[in-house]
Amino acid sequence: MDEGTFVGGVSIPQRSDDAYYFLEDARSDGYDFITTNLPYSSDEKRTDVTLMESKHWSTSIVGMVTSPPLYRTSAETSSGTDNGEALVAALNVDGLRRQAKKDFTFMLQWASHMSIPAVILPPIPADNIFEYGRFLSTLITNTSNVQLWLRVNFDKESIQNFMMIQRMCDGASNLGCIVEFGQNFKLADQIGEGMSLLHQLIGCNLRALVFSTTVFLSNKRKCPTLAKSHQFLFVELLKRLGRTCRILVEGSPHHHITDNEAAMGRSRNKLYLQYLRHIRSKGEVKDVLDTEESKMETSYLDHLQSALQPLGDHLEFSTYEVFEKDPVKYEKYREAVELALLDKIQLKQLKVTSDAKSSVMHCVIMVVGAGRGP
């Protein structure tokens, strides 16, 4: 498996305020990035800011917008999980709207200041889509150097809501989605709907997949495994977006191997990453993602390409080099030459030399204009 095509991250709510030590533990388990809660005011003091080098902030950290204590309910505070829903709800409350916008904006500005490459935004509330969308549209232009990942559940309504937000933000290139597979999807009776949603997601600037640790089942060895429906969806998405999409494991560990504590790793979530990498190593995925053609295409995926005119314009040397590696072109050339030769044989247009034992057909094939450059 090409390790560079599987970028895995981990998010544990109890460890989201100190990125330095969390990243050390996560990397020792094979994870590539972690998430950290973004501060909502300058009064919050963090020791990891000075402990960790800037190169790690810009490559190995994904920020999370959460709800400051002002907006949280007692239930949200005690549960320890916070996806920022309370903060988004406050955007629609007259007495809280101004402060909520200020706190939200500060978090994204802090992420931009720290050169954090991406930030996970709260999910879209069904009763507050337009207020949320209008607010995000004002933030997009000021945070163009940060990728914004909106949480989206794998269902029709959530995906449609994201597409509406996307339109309100004029299709901003730095606005994408991070999709979570819920526990309710059943492959047997929803296969058609599932494939339809997959195709919609591919066109929605899908940046990452998130698997909650609660979604994983247990096999006979008490190790994590996914239901068949989740495996199917994961494999299909990997085959389409596996070279550009990130994978995030989220939540405290729900699987424990009592007789082998080391197997759980320093983050305690190592088993989930090992299982997801196992799925990535399946033959049907490798046959799509690990070919030379697929590797060559990686830098061009999900980007609009302007039409090139090699006969009319002087193109760069490197562009011609890319042309040479196009596998489809050469396969079509082979098919065309084969058909041309069959026509010539049928029309008896090939020179034939014979002896007592055999006859040989002769044909000269010339490759013209094969150089690089005008």
Side-chain angles (χ1 to χ4, degrees), residues 89-102:
L91 295 173
N92 207 32
V93 179
D94 291 338
L96 297 174
R97 182 181 296 113
R98 184 174 181 181
Q99 185 62 40
K101 289 183 177 181
K102 180 180 178 181

Side-chain angles (χ1 to χ4, degrees), residues 138-187:
T138 63
L139 288 179
I140 292 292
T141 54
N142 298 324
T143 56
S144 57
N145 62 323
V146 179
Q147 292 292 316
L148 304 178
W149 298 351
L150 258 173
R151 284 183 178 271
V152 176
N153 289 325
F154 188 73
D155 61 64
K156 184 176 181 179
E157 181 182 2
S158 297
I159 294 174
Q160 288 179 339
N161 288 343
F162 172 76
M163 295 172 69
M164 185 178 298
I165 293 282
Q166 217 178 15
R167 289 193 293 271
M168 293 179 69
C169 296
D170 294 327
S173 60
N174 64 324
L175 178 64
C177 62
I178 176 170
V179 173
E180 180 173 5
F181 294 138
Q183 296 174 306
N184 299 325
F185 181 82
K186 303 298 182 184
L187 179 62

Side-chain angles (χ1 to χ4, degrees), residues 336-355:
V337 171
E338 180 182 0
L339 292 173
L341 290 175
L342 290 174
D343 287 345
K344 286 185 174 295
I345 292 172
Q346 186 176 6
L347 297 172
K348 297 181 180 181
Q349 294 179 346
L350 296 180
K351 180 181 178 182
V352 179
T353 58
S354 304
D355 55 28

Side-chain angles (χ1 to χ4, degrees), residues 87-336:
L87 176 62
V88 175
L91 295 173
N92 207 32
V93 179
D94 291 338
L96 297 174
R97 182 181 296 113
R98 184 174 181 181
Q99 185 62 40
K101 289 183 177 181
K102 180 180 178 181
D103 293 339
F104 205 130
T105 302
F106 183 90
M107 293 184 205
L108 294 185
Q109 289 175 342
W110 192 87
S112 179
H113 169 69
M114 297 299 294
S115 298
I116 292 177
V119 170
I120 299 175
L121 303 182
I124 305 167
D127 59 347
N128 194 18
I129 298 175
F130 296 104
E131 182 64 35
Y132 194 20
R134 281 194 294 267
F135 176 62
L136 289 180
S137 67
T138 63
L139 288 179
I140 292 292
T141 54
N142 298 324
T143 56
S144 57
N145 62 323
V146 179
Q147 292 292 316
L148 304 178
W149 298 351
L150 258 173
R151 284 183 178 271
V152 176
N153 289 325
F154 188 73
D155 61 64
K156 184 176 181 179
E157 181 182 2
S158 297
I159 294 174
Q160 288 179 339
N161 288 343
F162 172 76
M163 295 172 69
M164 185 178 298
I165 293 282
Q166 217 178 15
R167 289 193 293 271
M168 293 179 69
C169 296
D170 294 327
S173 60
N174 64 324
L175 178 64
C177 62
I178 176 170
V179 173
E180 180 173 5
F181 294 138
Q183 296 174 306
N184 299 325
F185 181 82
K186 303 298 182 184
L187 179 62
D189 56 359
Q190 291 181 267
I191 179 63
E193 180 185 353
M195 290 305 297
S196 175
L197 293 177
L198 281 179
H199 290 299
Q200 288 186 51
L201 282 174
I202 292 172
C204 284
N205 198 16
L206 177 60
R207 308 309 301 167
L209 303 177
V210 56
F211 288 99
S212 169
T213 53
T214 60
V215 170
F216 290 86
L217 307 176
S218 297
N219 60 18
K220 294 180 180 179
R221 297 170 54 198
K222 306 299 183 183
C223 292
T225 184
L226 289 173
K228 293 294 184 182
S229 55
H230 291 93
Q231 290 184 41
F232 171 80
L233 292 171
F234 187 38
V235 166
E236 290 302 311
L237 274 173
L238 279 177
K239 289 193 292 187
R240 289 163 170 78
L241 301 173
R243 298 193 71 86
T244 59
C245 193
R246 276 74 172 157
I247 313 299
L248 178 65
V249 174
E250 187 173 57
S252 302
H254 281 253
H255 295 77
H256 304 273
I257 303 178
T258 55
D259 58 347
N260 189 0
E261 288 291 319
M264 299 181 63
R266 287 165 55 179
S267 71
R268 315 302 289 169
N269 277 5
K270 183 177 181 179
L271 295 173
Y272 303 104
L273 177 65
Q274 289 179 331
Y275 175 73
L276 294 174
R277 286 189 183 276
H278 165 69
I279 294 182
R280 167 62 179 82
S281 66
K282 286 186 175 182
E284 60 182 309
V285 180
K286 294 177 65 176
D287 290 345
V288 174
L289 297 183
D290 294 343
T291 62
E292 288 301 319
E293 293 83 359
S294 179
K295 294 176 183 178
M296 183 192 73
E297 294 168 354
T298 301
S299 60
Y300 300 96
L301 292 176
D302 299 327
H303 288 81
L304 290 175
Q305 305 292 333
S306 59
L308 301 178
Q309 302 293 334
L311 298 180
D313 301 329
H314 294 335
L315 305 180
E316 295 179 355
F317 179 84
S318 60
T319 304
Y320 290 101
E321 187 177 30
V322 173
F323 287 170
E324 291 177 2
K325 296 178 180 178
D326 180 8
V328 177
K329 175 177 64 177
Y330 293 110
E331 178 62 24
K332 295 302 180 183
Y333 285 171
R334 186 197 64 78
E335 292 177 4

